[in-house]
Amino acid sequence: MLIEDISELQKARFRYCPRLPAVFHANGARVQPLGGDKLEPAASEQDAIRERFPHTYAQPLLHFAGASPNSFKPINVGVILSGGQAPGGHNVIAGLYDALKSLNSRCQLIGFIGGPSGLLENESIPLRSDLIDRYRNTGGFDMIGSGRTKLETTDQFDQALETCRAHDLGALVIIGGDDSNTNACVLAEYYASIDAGVQVIGCPKTIDGDLKNSFIETSFGMDTACKVYSELIGNIGRDACSGRKYWHFVKLMGRSASHIALECALQTQPNVALISEEVAEEDMTLDDVVDTICDSICTRAEAGMDFGLVLIPEGLIEFIPAMGELISELNDLLAMHEETEDEYRTRIGNTHDALTQSKTDADARKAGLSEGAAHTFIALPGGIRKQLLLDRDPHGNVQVSRIETEKLLITKVKSNLKARKAEKRYSGKFSSQAHFFGYEGRCAPPSNFDADYCYALGYCAASLIGNGCTGYIAAIRHLNRPAEDRIPCGVPTTSLMNMERRHGEERPVIKKALVELAGSPFQAFAEKRRTWAQETHFVYPGPIQYFGPANVCDQPTMTLQLEDDLG
Amino acid sequence: MLIEDISELQKARFRYCPRLPAVFHANGARVQPLGGDKLEPAASEQDAIRERFPHTYAQPLLHFAGASPNSFKPINVGVILSGGQAPGGHNVIAGLYDALKSLNSRCQLIGFIGGPSGLLENESIPLRSDLIDRYRNTGGFDMIGSGRTKLETTDQFDQALETCRAHDLGALVIIGGDDSNTNACVLAEYYASIDAGVQVIGCPKTIDGDLKNSFIETSFGMDTACKVYSELIGNIGRDACSGRKYWHFVKLMGRSASHIALECALQTQPNVALISEEVAEEDMTLDDVVDTICDSICTRAEAGMDFGLVLIPEGLIEFIPAMGELISELNDLLAMHEETEDEYRTRIGNTHDALTQSKTDADARKAGLSEGAAHTFIALPGGIRKQLLLDRDPHGNVQVSRIETEKLLITKVKSNLKARKAEKRYSGKFSSQAHFFGYEGRCAPPSNFDADYCYALGYCAASLIGNGCTGYIAAIRHLNRPAEDRIPCGVPTTSLMNMERRHGEERPVIKKALVELAGSPFQAFAEKRRTWAQETHFVYPGPIQYFGPANVCDQPTMTLQLEDDLG
């Protein structure tokens, strides 16, 4: 990176010193662990999880109680970024590096290149201060890259162990989402079971916000990503208000859970925000969803406002029960069964053609869909049908993120409004614009919140390593308080596990934390959305600020604030 | 607007005091005008313009030379926002308001609602300090709204004059782009010719940046919009670099000129940035453009980099000569000629069908296209052909902004790469993501630069009014200097005029300022783009900052900096 390729803001941010919880501020990572209650998963899961994780089951929740009287031996640590990018990843690594050096200046940190595959293939770089310093408080995962290879099999674990031995590593830090932390936990258990001498610590990353529980209050990156999206939604809302002629449909990244859509709704107060979990809970059809939007459009049109703002979570389509069933049937239908490659191709080709040419429910049933799925399929606009058939991942699955839900909704809204117009229930003018925000926020420079939080996570991971822990996730509690008042802790990963059916077998996985409809963030939204649907209460958050007043620069997400208000 | 609907940043920005040029800082708008050279349009245009603007032709360039010895009578002024939104519009109004009050505290300002139509239909609101204060340093045009009604006919001018009389207005300030300022100039001339006693002053607005000359260094809003787009492009570039698997194609708003794409390219250093003016100048075909992109993709693939960033100006498609001809032929073919509504519908229906079903050049020729246009049309992907036929404005013209150029290019790039792969000239993996940024930036909260510039424009407009001027555009020179060192001036609008053929007749219009290929911004880009195409030199500008160090918060566009370096 040439110096002239570095923006002025980035140069200024290099100099930002993230604020640490008091215990780290005073002692670095040389802290004394204090075990609390043993943490176990939900009662129904305990037997199955205990059986699979005999060495890492029911470990205590750990806090840190001031300076440790121990001396710390130098240890070599490897770090991996796993999965999709999230703002703050570089700060976890910077915090880990600084904290390891505070344990013992002879500690070494190496980074595995391109995610878990770097560990398997022993592709790594030593992380030294000159490199670290060029990535402090920056967005992106480009320091060492990330990847989606899954560490799942014993063969992989053994291969990884060879890499660890080659570098004399005593610990691995895996920065990832729910799946990556699940795998980290299985790896920790395996290494403990064979006495490999390699500790494994996870860090909770994902802009989706679906890796959380009562100790892990949020995953890192969500704060920044939601603030970037809210900046853009606010700008678009102000444009809608000024031009008064467009309804903007904004789809927001977030594969399953609607935490991002909910947080952005709380920040920007749009006319409609769809929450997938509610759509599923209420068993809504696509037409119900479209009706919700059209009700707002009609009410606002009567008040002379032919403009508005609709937020759509990326995962919505799968949460509409009928659509979810259709997608799952298509996945089955188009997957490879027990057949040769040639047989598969011929069958797929025929199914494709039959579905593409289907004009009636009966046609689609003949092509292999159930009555319900056929009906859902035929009711979809042609463009969307095509996307369902063509945009498939290497396993033959529909790529939900490629489905242009925002355009599907616009098409459906148009025909719904046409019908209402014919019935004299609507007399407005409808024009629309579609947007999809995802990549815009995943590598944004981290907010002060994420910069501080991530840096503290790095310290926490180092403290857990220094104290010999494995099978833990680093966590920082009381994130709604000023940085120095936050409480770092180690959460035993097995306590987050439950058994789920994946690829046809029961497996222990970290439970995805969906939006809770009874939770205070959703309730705060539900209380106001009727007013927002009718009137204009858009909020314009503006761009993330780093240098201004604390109430502008240092607020956590509304989700965190609301959850904290309650308890 | 409820107080709880106002973001913390917006509250903080209400308190920002825009920085004024020294002459206004010391004297408010009570300044002494100092006439310089008489300004005339280009020699070839002078006769035609002089003839059409006898009262406002060859007025002097005006500067302001310290305090005026005059006393200023109270005057009532009307203000209009015309055309698309641009960040800073509210600050022009706030500056105008404060400056009028500095002339005489009994001056009144009224705002016309929804753009020029508000003036015709006498829809207005008085602008008082409590209202103004709620919009200081905010984005959007929602204080009074904007609109696209064109003030062009004498009937309209007379109707507008009735409104002016009803409010006892002595002056109108029209905040708009090239077309709106053209019309403002015609209006100024007309009111001068009938001694209406209403002065007309324009302010240069448009994010497109195509309203400029040697005195009007940039139109307001471009700075903020480009910074918002560059923030997003930078974030996406960092994501590309981290994930290393996508080529991102980013289309950027800007109807004709590529100033936005060029500025964003200078700020973010993408692998490819297409500049429409160069494409036209070099007489490039769509295939040439696609080849440019594919060359970068192949070179980078060889170096192991299957990722990248391409910037595309919204207007590109019309600047590709062959596409421009096709669009123009389609516009003619599908426009209403001398025929009845029924005849028109039947003809259009037939032409539509014939073009939709065309599979060969010969088919398309039979449908009415020339040989060249038929060839261009048939070479386009089906989806784009459909957009060309369906997305038409009320006049039957192709809506260029609705054409998904970014997706067209991706489709063409894919087949180009396939051919290269067959010839063993490419062995990489190509995956892409498409983005379009426009609405995200038009109503962003103004940067410090736009906040200061716009506020000064308001002062400048008031100073011109106070000194009895009409047919002027308010301008601020030396925008690359600190605010206090900038020089406000009045530019006679007729000096920007030239004759152009519009809707079949020769008309005086302000010449659109396209990107000059010999200019220093394009040259700076051209010098580096070969390196950028091969290596990765992405810059990550980050979000606009308001409170930090001056080099982070107060820099103007690179375009302005580079133009200033030269001159």
Side-chain angles (χ1 to χ4, degrees):
Chain A
M1 211 184 309
L2 305 171
I3 186 76
E4 68 256 31
D5 294 348
I6 300 175
S7 71
E8 291 300 323
L9 176 61
Q10 192 168 320
K11 286 180 207 160
R13 289 296 286 169
F14 284 154
R15 295 190 292 272
Y16 176 72
C17 294
R19 289 161 289 194
L20 280 172
V23 69
F24 293 144
H25 191 75
N27 311 296
R30 306 171 67 85
V31 289
Q32 170 112 5
L34 185 71
D37 292 340
K38 289 184 173 178
L39 287 192
E40 296 182 70
S44 60
E45 314 291 330
Q46 293 180 358
D47 289 345
I49 303 298
R50 185 188 298 113
E51 190 190 320
R52 281 165 177 86
F53 296 92
H55 300 83
T56 53
Y57 187 78
Q59 298 197 93
L61 177 70
L62 281 184
H63 286 99
F64 301 104
S68 168
N70 301 332
S71 70
F72 292 88
K73 286 192 207 134
I75 183 171
N76 295 343
V77 176
V79 63
I80 296 168
L81 293 164
S82 179
Q85 282 84 263
H90 289 155
N91 265 30
V92 178
I93 299 177
L96 181 60
Y97 176 85
D98 292 347
L100 287 172
K101 292 295 180 187
S102 78
L103 280 179
N104 187 310
S105 64
R106 284 182 295 137
C107 287
Q108 301 288 337
L109 182 63
I110 70 163
F112 290 102
I113 304 291
S117 64
L119 177 65
L120 295 177
E121 291 151 24
N122 193 6
E123 288 186 21
S124 70
I125 45 165
L127 301 177
R128 300 204 188 92
S129 66
D130 57 337
L131 184 68
I132 297 277
D133 287 350
R134 281 188 279 138
Y135 289 91
R136 289 182 189 271
N137 310 303
T138 60
F141 277 7
D142 45 316
M143 185 205 284
I144 54 174
S146 181
R148 295 193 183 270
T149 302
K150 293 203 183 302
L151 293 179
E152 290 178 313
T153 67
T154 311
D155 280 355
Q156 288 177 316
F157 298 167
D158 290 334
Q159 200 180 337
L161 189 56
E162 274 182 42
T163 305
C164 292
R165 300 264 193 259
H167 294 282
D168 193 22
L169 298 187
L172 287 173
V173 174
I174 296 176
I175 303 170
D178 52 342
D179 279 349
S180 306
N181 274 290
T182 293
N183 295 337
C185 187
V186 179
L187 186 65
E189 174 66 26
Y190 179 72
Y191 285 171
S193 74
I194 61 168
D195 230 345
V198 179
Q199 302 159 243
V200 184
I201 301 294
C203 286
K205 169 231 73 173
T206 165
I207 61 164
D208 293 0
D210 53 8
L211 172 52
K212 68 173 187 175
N213 70 0
S214 47
F215 306 110
I216 302 169
E217 299 174 8
T218 188
S219 47
F220 78 76
M222 180 180 161
D223 182 81
T224 306
C226 286
K227 283 173 180 162
V228 173
Y229 303 146
S230 295
E231 172 198 357
L232 301 180
I233 296 163
N235 289 355
I236 287 172
R238 191 134 213 172
D239 200 290
C241 249
S242 303
R244 301 178 72 89
K245 64 178 179 185
Y246 288 122
W247 274 82
H248 291 269
F249 286 62
V250 182
K251 187 171 74 174
L252 294 165
M253 196 170 260
R255 186 59 184 75
S256 297
S258 299
H259 295 291
I260 292 179
L262 178 57
E263 173 63 25
C264 292
L266 291 166
Q267 285 192 33
T268 62
Q269 306 187 172
N271 303 109
V272 179
L274 302 166
I275 303 298
S276 302
E277 290 84 346
E278 185 187 27
V279 168
E281 175 71 26
E282 302 288 328
D283 200 9
M284 289 171 82
T285 63
L286 183 54
D287 286 335
D288 292 338
V289 171
V290 170
D291 258 327
T292 305
I293 301 172
C294 290
D295 287 347
S296 172
I297 294 174
C298 289
T299 311
R300 290 175 61 79
E302 273 169 40
M305 294 183 289
D306 279 324
F307 64 91
L309 200 47
V310 181
L311 303 190
I312 305 154
E314 183 185 27
L316 176 73
I317 201 89
E318 276 189 309
F319 279 75
I320 296 173
M323 287 295 301
E325 283 158 28
L326 168 63
I327 289 170
S328 140
E329 280 194 27
L330 286 174
N331 284 345
D332 278 351
L333 209 56
L334 299 173
M336 193 165 172
H337 302 307
E338 287 185 17
E339 55 196 342
T340 66
E341 182 86 14
D342 276 352
E343 284 166 356
Y344 173 64
R345 285 212 187 157
T346 313
R347 186 175 59 79
I348 287 296
N350 293 340
T351 311
H352 251 269
D353 289 350
L355 284 170
T356 308
Q357 289 154 16
S358 293
K359 292 210 159 35
T360 64
D361 291 14
D363 295 342
R365 291 198 63 183
K366 262 183 234 157
L369 291 177
S370 71
E371 188 176 338
H375 184 69
T376 309
F377 184 73
I378 293 301
L380 290 172
I384 301 292
R385 272 188 257 169
K386 214 166 158 184
Q387 284 175 3
L388 284 171
L389 296 176
L390 289 184
D391 287 331
R392 316 186 71 76
D393 72 15
H395 309 288
N397 292 318
V398 173
Q399 285 195 281
V400 176
S401 70
R402 292 268 182 177
I403 298 176
E404 296 180 307
T405 320
E406 66 283 20
K407 294 192 180 165
L408 166 63
L409 289 175
I410 288 172
T411 307
K412 292 291 236 178
V413 160
K414 276 184 190 161
S415 54
N416 185 306
L417 291 176
K418 206 170 163 187
R420 291 185 189 220
K421 205 160 228 171
E423 297 163 10
K424 309 241 181 285
R425 290 161 59 207
Y426 170 64
S427 58
K429 264 183 78 174
F430 178 76
S431 296
S432 62
Q433 296 285 345
H435 312 264
F436 172 35
F437 298 135
Y439 297 96
E440 291 76 2
R442 305 195 318 172
C443 285
S447 61
N448 286 347
F449 174 87
D450 271 327
D452 293 349
Y453 175 31
C454 289
Y455 191 71
L457 281 176
Y459 264 77
C460 188
S463 303
L464 292 166
I465 290 169
N467 286 295
C469 303
T470 192
Y472 273 86
I473 291 183
I476 310 292
R477 302 178 69 181
H478 304 303
L479 287 169
N480 193 28
R481 298 185 189 166
E484 54 275 21
D485 299 338
R486 295 175 189 163
I487 309 292
C489 68
V491 181
T493 313
T494 50
S495 70
L496 304 174
M497 294 281 194
N498 70 169
M499 299 302 292
E500 283 180 25
R501 203 161 183 85
R502 296 257 176 114
H503 305 293
E505 57 175 326
E506 288 288 317
R507 299 175 64 174
V509 294
I510 294 177
K511 199 173 147 81
K512 251 191 210 310
L514 300 182
V515 169
E516 286 180 22
L517 302 183
S520 49
F522 180 81
Q523 286 301 318
F525 161 71
E527 199 175 287
K528 292 193 172 166
R529 64 175 153 180
R530 185 185 301 263
T531 313
W532 297 350
Q534 298 172 352
E535 303 167 5
T536 303
H537 289 274
F538 302 162
V539 175
Y540 315 120
I544 291 176
Q545 296 297 301
Y546 299 103
F547 308 100
N551 59 341
V552 175
C553 299
D554 300 330
Q555 296 296 318
T557 56
M558 309 252 325
T559 302
L560 264 181
Q561 293 180 49
L562 286 161
E563 285 174 342
D564 197 47
D565 284 352
L566 254 198
Chain B
M1 212 185 308
L2 304 172
I3 186 76
E4 69 257 31
D5 294 347
I6 301 175
S7 71
E8 291 300 322
L9 176 62
Q10 192 168 320
K11 286 179 206 159
R13 289 297 285 172
F14 285 154
R15 295 189 292 272
Y16 177 72
C17 294
R19 288 160 290 192
L20 280 172
V23 67
F24 293 144
H25 192 74
N27 310 296
R30 304 172 69 86
V31 289
Q32 170 115 2
L34 185 72
D37 292 339
K38 288 185 175 180
L39 287 191
E40 295 182 70
S44 60
E45 313 291 330
Q46 292 180 358
D47 289 346
I49 304 297
R50 186 189 297 114
E51 189 190 318
R52 281 165 176 85
F53 296 91
H55 300 83
T56 53
Y57 186 78
Q59 298 197 89
L61 177 70
L62 280 184
H63 287 98
F64 302 103
S68 169
N70 300 332
S71 70
F72 292 88
K73 285 192 209 138
I75 183 171
N76 294 342
V77 176
V79 63
I80 296 169
L81 292 165
S82 179
Q85 283 83 262
H90 289 153
N91 264 30
V92 178
I93 298 176
L96 181 61
Y97 176 86
D98 292 346
L100 287 172
K101 292 295 180 185
S102 79
L103 280 178
N104 186 311
S105 63
R106 284 181 297 139
C107 285
Q108 302 288 336
L109 181 64
I110 71 164
F112 289 102
I113 304 292
S117 64
L119 176 64
L120 296 178
E121 290 151 24
N122 193 8
E123 288 187 20
S124 70
I125 44 164
L127 300 177
R128 301 203 189 92
S129 66
D130 57 337
L131 183 68
I132 297 277
D133 287 350
R134 281 188 280 140
Y135 289 91
R136 289 182 190 271
N137 310 302
T138 60
F141 278 8
D142 44 317
M143 184 205 282
I144 55 175
S146 181
R148 296 195 183 268
T149 302
K150 293 203 184 302
L151 293 179
E152 291 179 311
T153 66
T154 310
D155 280 356
Q156 287 177 318
F157 297 167
D158 289 336
Q159 200 180 337
L161 190 56
E162 273 183 43
T163 305
C164 292
R165 299 266 192 257
H167 294 282
D168 194 21
L169 298 187
L172 286 173
V173 174
I174 295 177
I175 302 170
D178 51 343
D179 278 349
S180 305
N181 274 290
T182 292
N183 294 336
C185 187
V186 179
L187 186 65
E189 173 66 26
Y190 178 72
Y191 285 172
S193 75
I194 62 168
D195 230 345
V198 179
Q199 302 159 241
V200 183
I201 301 295
C203 285
K205 170 230 70 171
T206 164
I207 61 165
D208 294 359
D210 54 7
L211 172 51
K212 68 173 186 175
N213 69 358
S214 47
F215 304 110
I216 301 169
E217 299 175 8
T218 187
S219 48
F220 77 76
M222 180 181 160
D223 182 81
T224 307
C226 287
K227 283 173 180 162
V228 173
Y229 303 146
S230 295
E231 171 198 358
L232 302 180
I233 296 163
N235 290 354
I236 287 172
R238 192 135 211 170
D239 201 290
C241 249
S242 303
R244 302 179 71 90
K245 63 178 180 185
Y246 288 122
W247 274 83
H248 291 269
F249 286 62
V250 182
K251 187 170 75 175
L252 294 165
M253 197 170 259
R255 185 60 182 75
S256 297
S258 299
H259 295 291
I260 292 178
L262 178 57
E263 172 64 25
C264 291
L266 291 166
Q267 286 192 32
T268 63
Q269 305 187 172
N271 304 108
V272 179
L274 302 166
I275 304 298
S276 302
E277 290 83 347
E278 185 186 28
V279 168
E281 175 71 26
E282 301 289 328
D283 200 10
M284 288 171 82
T285 63
L286 183 54
D287 286 335
D288 292 337
V289 170
V290 170
D291 258 327
T292 305
I293 301 172
C294 291
D295 287 346
S296 171
I297 294 175
C298 290
T299 312
R300 289 175 61 80
E302 273 170 41
M305 295 183 288
D306 279 324
F307 64 91
L309 199 48
V310 181
L311 304 190
I312 304 154
E314 183 185 27
L316 176 73
I317 201 89
E318 277 190 308
F319 279 76
I320 297 174
M323 287 296 300
E325 283 156 29
L326 170 63
I327 290 170
S328 140
E329 279 195 28
L330 285 173
N331 284 346
D332 278 352
L333 209 57
L334 298 172
M336 194 167 171
H337 301 306
E338 287 187 14
E339 55 198 343
T340 66
E341 182 84 13
D342 276 352
E343 284 165 357
Y344 173 64
R345 287 214 183 152
T346 313
R347 185 174 60 79
I348 286 298
N350 294 340
T351 311
H352 250 268
D353 289 350
L355 284 170
T356 307
Q357 289 155 17
S358 293
K359 293 212 160 34
T360 63
D361 291 14
D363 295 342
R365 291 199 63 185
K366 261 183 232 155
L369 291 177
S370 72
E371 189 177 338
H375 184 69
T376 308
F377 184 73
I378 294 299
L380 291 171
I384 301 292
R385 271 189 257 168
K386 214 165 157 183
Q387 284 175 1
L388 284 171
L389 295 175
L390 289 183
D391 287 333
R392 315 185 72 75
D393 72 13
H395 309 289
N397 292 317
V398 173
Q399 286 195 280
V400 176
S401 70
R402 292 268 181 177
I403 297 177
E404 297 181 307
T405 320
E406 66 284 19
K407 294 192 180 165
L408 166 63
L409 288 175
I410 287 172
T411 307
K412 294 289 239 178
V413 160
K414 276 183 190 163
S415 54
N416 185 307
L417 290 177
K418 208 172 161 184
R420 292 184 188 220
K421 205 159 229 171
E423 297 163 13
K424 308 238 182 285
R425 292 163 57 207
Y426 170 64
S427 59
K429 263 184 78 173
F430 178 76
S431 296
S432 62
Q433 296 285 345
H435 311 263
F436 172 35
F437 298 135
Y439 297 97
E440 292 74 3
R442 306 196 316 172
C443 286
S447 62
N448 285 347
F449 174 87
D450 271 327
D452 293 349
Y453 174 33
C454 289
Y455 191 70
L457 281 175
Y459 264 76
C460 188
S463 303
L464 292 165
I465 291 168
N467 286 296
C469 303
T470 192
Y472 274 86
I473 291 183
I476 310 291
R477 301 177 69 180
H478 304 303
L479 286 169
N480 194 28
R481 298 185 189 167
E484 53 275 20
D485 300 336
R486 295 175 190 163
I487 309 291
C489 68
V491 180
T493 312
T494 50
S495 70
L496 303 174
M497 292 282 193
N498 71 170
M499 299 302 292
E500 283 181 25
R501 203 160 183 84
R502 296 258 177 115
H503 305 294
E505 56 175 328
E506 287 288 318
R507 298 176 63 175
V509 294
I510 294 177
K511 200 176 149 86
K512 250 191 212 309
L514 300 182
V515 169
E516 287 181 21
L517 303 184
S520 50
F522 181 81
Q523 286 300 318
F525 161 71
E527 200 174 288
K528 294 195 170 164
R529 64 174 155 181
R530 186 184 301 263
T531 314
W532 298 350
Q534 297 172 353
E535 303 167 7
T536 304
H537 289 273
F538 302 162
V539 176
Y540 315 121
I544 291 176
Q545 296 297 302
Y546 300 103
F547 309 100
N551 59 341
V552 175
C553 299
D554 299 329
Q555 297 295 318
T557 56
M558 309 255 321
T559 302
L560 264 180
Q561 293 180 51
L562 286 161
E563 285 174 342
D564 197 46
D565 284 351
L566 254 201

